[in-house]
């Protein structure tokens, strides 16, 4: 393997021979000297080539010709001499080109920073070369790794639940159907059924990071037809309070790791300071949150008991003012707006042991204690107009013993979008999928 | 949250009050004293209840009545007194039952250890309560975490590629189709296209652990219609040799972690010693491997240049004898049996820069250097009878610059199956999916 030095490691390297590889960001082709800014996954460096063909009668300079022909985006490897030089704006160093090998020549790039989102998504792989995008996916990597570290330290088991199911996991709406040999399969809308199955299997705590699918025709900045769902479920909870306690510890672990590893870069590229949230996160029962929002002048225009996106923004604003916190758990959702499998309050069947987590004004997660008592669960399903036979496989999980349990599902892209103040999940998903977008 | 003590932690706990939660493995309902073996995700413990209703005229013993009525598999919490007592076979300790609360009563369990695989898969969540299965998924968790630790330490970026695609990623065969709004989507057979896209995006090293789908009608012990694929791809490789070097380091990291964390348990439950492989793994060009197998009496009954499963078993046997190694890289596959995107030898276009990794007799992985030169790639696609227009989106990744790169895909369940000497991936997949199996 070519022993290449990552650009970020040049600063600490001594003057002398190095090899760097990356793509061409800019070329300045001057009369006497040529400059190439080369970027790799870790940063950018200036390469320099003093032309040797400037004197009358001098030999042709093959390297200079190659550099003159370089197109933006082409990938190349340069072996040369590193020299630290404070006068060089870009990192205080440059590499004098010795050998230059072009690995692949780029056609004229079809997008620029100011291209429309749609155009940029058409050429997502070029869009992803932007330092902000590279950093964003590093941040996401660090976030997920910190979550998994937390789970592994707490003896949770990782599961990979199937995405092909015989029955819908959430609802009959927004369901992708797949012809499956002699029958029909459904794409999992969430790992809900199967992470609960792990509870009946005596796994204790489980986690999964995987795709989920919704045939959702909407075009908002928060929705996709395929998204990465971060899920956890744990046994022997007393209420949703235990789930929230896990949830906030995870986010603290994730944000701490992000701040440590990428805080400076995030400040430089996004102009943002990462705040590690303090625990406990504020908790507000949903009904109270709605009153607060109403008192502050916004009547939520919904017939049901739910919040709406504007309400979430406003309660978030309130929490920020009141508690200086970016997160808020909205708790105790009305039974009428929650699925049948959420446990209801013992003393008020109109409320559930559930919550939504709002981060910087947008819901990122739903959690709950689940109803584990099979007779109650069947009644609640009927209550919601479901035929228990249609969810027979799921109900069977509860017939042979199951501990009390609860968990949450969280949209990965939403967390990253809100953390980095991005306008849409389209910009933070590796490859966005929407009703009109299946490519690349 | 109930402060429960995991069973595995009882040994280190002092005598005195504890609370344990789990499910009933057995009840011995004797005249004077009752015993319950309670299992949780970490182990099993004996609970004991001396009956208080054995004397004539004594008060009814409510706890005894509850215990008598307990069914196997029911979940319960017991607060009681821990006592270390060497005479107790199960771990040298027992818990004297104080309070006992049944969380969920199990119906008669429909499967036992000797039930058929199919029956056990019908009730997979009960089958997963077996200590071997619980351990298996802990081993898998540890394995994946060790791999991810390696990648994170080496600055790889985690990607989650979409599973809904506009064109097949591998071949037109064995493809699930999904009606997608006004068009048709395909379920990803591998993340091949999109992990290569990360190369054109300048991400350097990337990894993904996620589902892959094959509408494969076969019923072997090694195939599933949905499986978990472990994928990595890296930039600036000189050949497949660099990919193999990464691959073997990953496996060493994974097996080291497994041995450290679970070696003793694996020995106890599976009767196996985990061997951390030494590096470099043996490498044998495929043609040579076929000769070796032939010399040892097995002519591979195939018309093409490929191995067959029996051949893989035999070359593995040979490597075990010759080098005492459980792994072998079979390298330099013939162009005729490799996909168009594998790079061909510079000096022999009949061979590719590729390998299969065989572990304990079964192929677990395919890796290769990819062809990154767009003109060569187009020619190779045509060579294989492909219409470049049909893979136009993929080919576009190469038109705007891309570094030389390579990577591998590895079947997670196969690794675990072979590590723990299990007979089929059905037994090691959380929920197996096959042509006849879509439930639970």
């Amino acid at each position: 393997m070519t022993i290449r030095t990552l650009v970020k490691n040049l600063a600490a390297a001594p003057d002398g021979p190095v090899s760097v590889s990356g793509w061409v960001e800019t070329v300045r082709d001057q009369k006497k000297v040529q400059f190439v800014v080369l970027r790799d996954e870790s940063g950018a460096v200036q390469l320099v080539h003093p032309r040797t063909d400037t004197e009358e009668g001098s030999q042709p300079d093959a390297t200079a010709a190659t550099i003159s022909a370089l197109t933006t985006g082409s990938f190349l490897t340069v072996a040369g001499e590193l020299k630290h030089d404070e006068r060089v704006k870009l990192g205080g160093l440059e590499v004098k080109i010795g050998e230059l090998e072009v690995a692949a020549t780029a056609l004229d790039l079809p997008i620029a920073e100011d291209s429309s989102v749609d155009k940029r998504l058409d050429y997502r792989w070029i869009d992803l070369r932007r330092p902000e995008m590279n950093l964003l996916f590093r941040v996401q990597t660090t976030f997920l790794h910190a979550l998994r570290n937390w789970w592994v330290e707490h003896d949770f088991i990782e599961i990979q639940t199937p995405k092909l199911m015989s029955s819908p996991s959430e609802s009959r709406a927004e369901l992708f159907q797949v012809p499956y040999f002699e029958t029909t399969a459904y794409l999992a809308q969430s790992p809900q059924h199967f992470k609960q199955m792990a509870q009946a299997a005596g796994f204790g705590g489980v986690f999964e990071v995987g795709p989920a699918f919704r045939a959702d025709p909407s075009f908002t900045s928060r929705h996709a037809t395929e998204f990465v769902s971060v899920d956890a479920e744990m046994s022997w909870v007393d209420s949703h309070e235990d789930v929230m306690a896990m949830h906030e510890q995870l986010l603290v672990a994730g944000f701490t790791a992000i701040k440590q590893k990428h805080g400076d870069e995030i400040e430089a590229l996004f102009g943002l300071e990462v705040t590690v949230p303090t625990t406990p996160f504020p908790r507000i029962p949903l009904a109270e949150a709605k009153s607060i929002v109403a008192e502050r002048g916004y009547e939520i225009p919904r017939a049901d008991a739910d919040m709406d996106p504007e309400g979430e923004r406003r309660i978030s604003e309130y929490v920020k003012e009141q508690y200086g916190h970016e997160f808020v758990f909205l708790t105790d959702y009305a039974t009428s707006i929650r699925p049948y499998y959420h446990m209801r309050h013992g003393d008020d069947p109109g409320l559930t042991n559930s919550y939504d987590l709002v981060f910087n004004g947008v819901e990122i997660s739903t959690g709950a204690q689940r109803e584990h008592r099979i007779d109650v669960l069947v009644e609640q399903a009927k209550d919601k107009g479901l035929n228990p036979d249609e969810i027979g496989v799921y109900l069977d999980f509860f017939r042979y013993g199951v501990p009390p349990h609860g968990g949450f599902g969280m949209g990965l892209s939403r967390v990253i979008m809100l953390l980095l103040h991005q306008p849409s999940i389209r910009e933070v998903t590796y490859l966005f999928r929407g009703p009109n977008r299946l490519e690349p």
Side-chain angles (χ1 to χ4, degrees), chain A:
Chain A
M1 187 152 191
T2 312
I3 306 297
R4 66 171 176 133
T5 302
L6 284 176
V7 168
K8 71 170 177 185
N9 296 331
L10 290 175
D15 282 4
V18 290
S19 176
V20 290
S21 298
W23 63 94
V24 175
E25 201 164 75
T26 55
V27 179
R28 267 191 302 145
D29 196 356
Q30 297 179 357
K31 234 180 189 165
K32 300 214 159 169
V33 60
Q34 297 170 308
F35 297 98
V36 176
V37 173
L38 183 87
R39 184 173 287 283
D40 72 7
E41 64 267 36
S42 73
V45 61
Q46 177 166 291
L47 312 178
V48 60
H49 178 67
R51 299 187 73 120
T52 61
D53 58 357
T54 51
E55 301 296 313
E56 198 136 343
S58 57
Q59 295 294 308
D61 179 344
T63 300
T66 304
I67 293 172
S68 293
L70 277 180
T71 56
T72 306
S74 296
F75 279 73
L76 46 90
T77 292
V78 163
E81 289 289 318
L82 171 65
K83 197 176 163 206
H84 291 266
D85 181 345
E86 284 188 4
R87 291 168 305 175
V88 180
K89 277 189 196 157
L90 189 59
L93 50 83
E94 63 183 11
V95 174
K96 190 175 163 207
I97 295 172
E99 259 182 286
L100 185 159
E101 193 183 348
V102 177
T105 298
L107 297 182
D108 279 349
L109 296 188
I111 57 165
E113 286 225 18
D114 59 353
S115 300
S116 71
V117 179
D118 252 7
K119 192 84 190 283
R120 283 191 286 113
L121 294 189
D122 285 344
Y123 297 92
R124 180 64 166 163
W125 66 97
I126 301 171
D127 191 45
L128 288 174
R129 290 183 193 166
R130 285 190 290 136
E132 294 82 0
M133 286 295 113
N134 186 290
L135 175 58
L136 190 147
F137 284 91
R138 289 190 184 278
V139 167
Q140 184 169 290
T141 302
T142 298
F143 180 67
L144 287 177
H145 201 61
L147 264 50
R148 294 195 187 104
N149 276 333
W150 191 96
W151 281 314
V152 166
E153 278 162 23
H154 289 79
D155 265 343
F156 280 53
I157 294 180
E158 177 167 0
I159 54 175
Q160 275 92 13
T161 64
K163 304 311 162 199
L164 293 168
M165 301 180 68
S166 66
S167 59
S169 51
E170 294 290 335
S171 79
R172 290 248 153 230
E174 304 182 352
L175 202 56
F176 286 116
Q177 300 195 12
V178 188
Y180 189 85
F181 302 98
E182 308 296 301
T183 179
T184 298
Y186 304 97
L187 289 184
Q189 296 160 308
S190 83
Q192 188 61 37
H193 284 192
F194 299 140
K195 64 181 181 164
Q196 288 194 255
M197 191 189 93
Q199 300 303 306
F203 272 23
V206 293
F207 67 96
E208 174 169 19
V209 177
F213 306 88
R214 305 258 167 124
D216 183 342
S218 59
F219 289 93
T220 81
S221 63
R222 308 177 312 282
H223 291 93
T225 53
E226 177 176 355
F227 61 99
V228 177
S229 186
V230 176
D231 281 88
E233 197 78 17
M234 66 200 290
S235 296
W236 303 108
V237 303
D238 286 335
S239 77
H240 51 313
E241 188 54 52
D242 294 326
V243 183
M244 289 191 280
M246 162 179 60
H247 203 154
E248 61 191 10
Q249 284 181 59
L250 280 165
L251 286 164
V252 167
F255 280 44
T256 301
I258 290 171
K259 193 178 176 74
Q260 254 167 26
K261 196 160 178 180
H262 309 289
D264 293 346
E265 282 174 285
I266 290 173
E267 201 151 347
L269 289 182
F270 291 94
L272 292 170
E273 197 188 339
V274 176
T275 308
V276 176
T278 53
T279 56
F281 295 3
R283 287 142 164 80
I284 306 177
L286 179 66
E288 195 183 319
K290 292 184 68 175
S291 303
I292 292 169
V293 166
E295 273 165 34
R296 291 162 61 95
Y298 180 66
E299 279 296 343
I300 291 162
R302 286 183 70 119
D304 65 14
D306 212 350
M307 269 281 183
D308 70 347
E310 180 58 24
E312 286 166 2
R313 256 192 300 282
R314 292 193 177 223
I315 193 68
S316 217
E317 233 172 63
Y318 165 82
V319 168
K320 191 96 197 213
E321 283 170 33
Q322 210 64 12
Y323 307 102
H325 213 285
E326 294 179 321
F327 289 89
V328 56
F329 286 119
L330 303 181
T331 66
D332 305 278
Y333 275 62
T335 299
S336 57
I337 52 171
R338 286 305 210 192
Y340 67 94
Y341 55 78
H342 283 196
M343 186 176 273
R344 297 174 187 175
H345 283 205
D347 54 0
D348 182 354
L351 294 177
T352 59
N353 281 0
S354 76
Y355 68 86
D356 272 13
L357 178 55
V358 175
F359 173 38
N360 279 341
V362 178
E363 180 229 313
I364 57 170
S365 183
T366 295
Q369 180 176 14
R370 322 303 182 182
E371 181 53 66
H372 65 282
R373 296 161 297 182
I374 179 65
D375 47 339
V376 182
L377 187 60
V378 169
E379 282 315 306
Q380 290 188 182
K382 285 187 199 161
D383 232 41
K384 290 276 185 187
L386 282 166
N387 177 353
D389 291 344
E390 284 192 18
I391 49 169
V393 177
Y394 172 69
L395 294 176
D396 276 350
F397 299 158
F398 299 82
R399 297 189 197 279
Y400 303 95
V402 63
H405 62 278
F408 69 81
M410 179 165 73
L412 176 61
S413 292
R414 287 196 185 188
V415 178
I416 301 297
M417 168 179 85
L418 295 158
L419 170 69
L420 298 179
H421 294 204
Q422 293 300 288
S424 161
I425 58 165
R426 285 157 217 230
E427 306 266 355
V428 304
T429 307
Y430 182 67
L431 278 171
F432 172 72
R433 289 291 178 257
N436 285 339
R437 163 99 29 212
L438 197 57
E439 285 186 350

